[in-house]
Amino acid sequence: MKNHPDVMKALAEARPAQLDPPRTPPFPFPLPDRTVTGRRHRRFRAAALIPAGALAAAAVTAVAVVAIDPGGPAPTPHGPGASVEAAQPLAASQILLTAAERSTEDAPRSGRYLVVRRESGSVITVGSGTATYEMTAKSSQETWLSRSGEEPTWVTFQKLGLTPLTPADAAAWRAAGSPEQVMIGKPLPTGELGPGSAVSTSAGPRESSSWGADLYALGDTSVSVRDLENLPTDPPALRTALLEHFHGGGGDLPTDRDQWLLAVASSLITDIPVSGPVRAAAFRLIATMPGVRSLGVVTDQRGREGQGFAFTSVNAASGPIERRFVIDLATGRALGEESRVLRPSGTTAKLKPGSLLGYSVVLEQRTTDETPPK
Amino acid sequence: MADPESAQEFTALYADNHPRVYAYAVARAGQPLADEVVAETFLVAWRRFAQMPSGAALPWLLGVARNVIRERYRDEGRQRAVAAEMLAWAADTPDVADGVAERSAVLTALARLSENDREVLTLIAWDGLSPRAAARVVNCSTPAFLVRLHRARTRLERAVAAAEEPAITKEPSR
């Protein structure tokens, strides 16, 4: 396929002038002492790992709200008076070890393709006129992962549009004239919104493309399907194998080794499809990590009930985020996960504790010999 | 209270690399976020300055920027905004000069590609990196990067052909 042999040249020539900064501004901040920064980081971690009373209370309250309103697509942020005691939830270790046992029985099946269908959403503060309200940008992904790695993997993606998060947001959207386009601005460190650009609220077409490169990564390292299938099923060995990819973390991953391990091990439960025995090892590994807490019975964003566990993900920009996982203990598989504001600060300063930031639900995961739809 | 020698070295690194980190940030996160991404990138870079590989400052800085963007702005909203901005650049092209139709078709086609495809293509075409340096940014091996690049390029060719179709009926070029 060389109809446009110079497509890279054409692309280079099409480089927009907007990429060049008007000028190089003076250095934007006083250089902090690196050793002090490092120390602050470690202290941060310690705070995250000690389940302070406030964190535990927030978790219990969130569970109670979900239990009261299981049908709601998104539990509304709760006030301080909304707390109701949840009845004897399973301990985190009970949830994780039961999930591990079920996962061990989830034997690898035959089939050329591993099909994973999921929906994810992220909550965005949007504006129209002077009004601002929350909308969820949803999308669906269907992945046909070639298990041999020899056939292309197919990914079908569809933007499902933006929908108001709560009835109050729906009322605000209608009051603004039910605009088809809303403004999305950058969240500033103060929690205010910066100047926005117009984005359509309607759904997009289904788009399929084949994928020759590795789709998944452990930490920042791309891994092949074969690498994933060869991950150890023994928890200490899995720990060692995952930590081989730890090179200081950073970016969207924690720089603390244990926090990094927790983030990457939990990705094997939801994001990255691995065999049942590997998932079992991931559950057992997570069960040994500090800071993991039980949520008891919770529902995912599709209203499906499961057992929940959570940990705190420390993020300097957005304040601490609670990452919550909903597990179907009948199969040991994840139904979904979500992120919620724990203590509003930085970019989440204007949100209430417990506000939903994003979610992902697994709608289907199976192996097949069928041919991928294109 | 940074030690003066490192601070001076780092300030020079900033001056040398700001325009290219900025360009990467615009292409990946959109112009409205670029200044913030750049500031955060250099803040993280300063914290990890000791780990910077000597002789490969730019790929390392772009790798940091990439992680900053993925951490803070990885959501759907950002991707929609970036694609919309690219389409605006295509529409923005004054329709008098030569090669305008092609430029517009290329930018339109690029906006339609996946984020991953856009990334590998623009690291080469706009950021001017070698495949090896670009592979460092996206943290994969050079051969793996070349495979990604090949596929992204094929998809771009297809998308350009599709984007040019309506234009050809209006004003045939070549």
Side-chain angles (χ1 to χ4, degrees):
Chain A
M1 272 259 273
K2 289 281 178 267
N3 297 332
H4 290 257
D6 288 321
V7 74
M8 291 306 286
K9 188 165 164 269
L11 180 59
E13 283 166 1
R15 187 182 187 277
Q18 287 88 338
L19 296 188
D20 297 320
R23 68 198 174 92
T24 291
F27 202 69
F29 48 82
L31 286 176
D33 186 324
R34 270 184 285 151
T35 52
V36 169
T37 314
R39 225 179 287 136
R40 191 179 297 138
H41 225 78
R42 281 195 290 279
R43 206 163 58 226
F44 226 9
R45 177 201 63 166
L49 296 186
I50 297 163
L55 298 194
V60 168
T61 312
V63 172
V65 170
V66 174
I68 289 163
D69 182 19
T76 47
H78 44 77
S83 176
V84 177
E85 286 298 318
Q88 287 295 309
L90 291 179
S93 59
Q94 285 175 290
I95 295 172
L96 290 162
L97 296 178
T98 310
E101 269 170 50
R102 293 292 173 275
S103 294
T104 308
E105 297 154 11
D106 191 356
R109 294 184 181 85
S110 65
R112 277 161 61 212
Y113 282 96
L114 176 62
V115 182
V116 185
R117 204 158 55 81
R118 60 171 72 236
E119 179 189 296
S120 52
S122 82
V123 177
I124 303 171
T125 303
V126 304
S128 34
T130 55
T132 60
Y133 42 90
E134 307 286 314
M135 293 185 100
T136 311
K138 297 183 183 178
S139 63
S140 66
Q141 305 102 47
E142 185 173 320
T143 308
W144 286 63
L145 195 68
S146 162
R147 296 179 72 202
S148 67
E150 278 154 20
E151 296 162 291
T153 282
W154 283 85
V155 182
T156 301
F157 179 82
Q158 185 175 23
K159 288 170 181 169
L160 301 175
L162 272 72
T163 48
L165 178 63
T166 65
D169 293 314
W173 180 64
R174 281 194 303 273
S178 307
E180 205 277 326
Q181 282 203 326
V182 293
M183 301 297 285
I184 295 183
K186 68 172 171 180
L188 302 176
T190 55
E192 303 280 350
L193 286 184
S197 50
V199 168
S200 163
T201 58
S202 45
R206 275 173 68 91
E207 293 170 74
S208 290
S209 57
S210 70
W211 194 272
D214 299 329
L215 200 56
Y216 298 103
L218 293 174
D220 285 333
T221 318
S222 297
V223 286
S224 66
V225 179
R226 193 153 292 167
D227 293 341
L228 288 175
E229 297 205 334
N230 287 336
L231 281 172
T233 56
D234 169 56
L238 180 64
R239 179 193 166 90
T240 306
L242 295 180
L243 284 173
E244 274 171 22
H245 300 287
F246 177 70
H247 306 293
D252 63 330
L253 286 165
T255 49
D256 175 82
R257 200 161 168 267
D258 281 352
Q259 287 263 299
W260 183 93
L261 184 61
L262 197 48
V264 174
S266 62
S267 72
L268 297 181
I269 289 168
T270 50
D271 292 342
I272 303 179
V274 291
S275 70
V278 174
R279 193 172 65 243
F283 277 123
R284 293 201 169 97
L285 175 56
I286 292 167
T288 66
M289 313 266 319
V292 180
R293 52 190 175 268
S294 166
L295 299 173
V297 176
V298 288
T299 53
D300 73 0
Q301 288 293 315
R302 278 294 182 96
R304 298 176 300 179
E305 206 168 80
Q307 291 284 339
F309 74 90
F311 57 82
T312 301
S313 169
V314 177
N315 182 314
S318 61
I321 302 296
E322 183 172 66
R323 296 202 53 204
R324 304 165 57 123
F325 298 81
V326 186
I327 309 299
D328 177 1
L329 282 194
T331 60
R333 292 183 176 194
L335 296 170
E337 64 165 308
E338 59 192 53
S339 300
R340 288 181 181 271
V341 175
L342 216 41
R343 283 194 305 275
S345 81
T347 53
T348 64
K350 298 280 171 190
L351 301 174
K352 295 194 179 76
S355 296
L356 180 70
L357 291 172
Y359 72 90
S360 164
V361 284
V362 181
L363 300 176
E364 186 181 11
Q365 182 172 330
R366 63 189 169 93
T367 56
T368 181
D369 281 321
E370 293 162 42
T371 304
K374 292 177 187 173
Chain B
M1 287 258 298
D3 74 277
E5 205 173 302
S6 301
Q8 203 175 7
E9 209 181 310
F10 190 78
T11 310
L13 178 83
Y14 170 78
D16 289 347
N17 290 284
H18 173 271
R20 297 184 73 179
V21 175
Y22 179 90
Y24 177 83
V26 173
R28 308 284 300 135
Q31 205 175 20
L33 297 178
D35 282 331
E36 189 176 334
V37 168
V38 172
E40 206 168 325
T41 298
F42 280 99
L43 181 59
V44 173
W46 168 246
R47 278 194 205 124
R48 300 176 58 193
F49 191 31
Q51 298 151 34
M52 188 180 82
S54 54
L58 184 65
W60 182 76
L61 281 169
L62 297 188
V64 173
R66 181 174 194 259
N67 285 336
V68 165
I69 292 166
R70 289 204 302 181
E71 175 186 23
R72 302 266 318 261
Y73 313 110
R74 76 188 327 176
D75 55 86
E76 291 299 301
R78 172 176 67 85
Q79 280 315 305
R80 280 168 172 266
V82 173
E85 202 173 321
M86 254 174 216
L87 289 173
W89 295 337
D92 204 23
T93 312
D95 55 5
V96 281
D98 279 351
V100 161
E102 187 179 22
R103 184 171 185 275
S104 168
V106 169
L107 289 176
T108 305
L110 185 69
R112 287 178 186 161
L113 295 185
S114 71
E115 187 189 359
N116 288 291
D117 281 354
R118 288 206 299 262
E119 174 171 42
V120 297
L121 291 166
T122 56
L123 279 171
I124 302 296
W126 291 356
D127 298 312
L129 297 186
S130 67
R132 185 166 175 274
R136 271 172 186 254
V137 176
V138 302
N139 213 338
C140 69
S141 69
T142 308
F145 182 84
L146 288 172
V147 171
R148 286 191 199 183
L149 179 64
H150 170 76
R151 295 187 189 262
R153 186 190 158 130
T154 307
R155 280 191 282 268
L156 179 65
E157 281 167 2
R158 262 190 246 136
V160 168
E164 274 178 346
E165 264 165 36
I168 285 167
T169 55
K170 266 187 270 167
E171 40 166 64
S173 60
R174 305 185 194 189

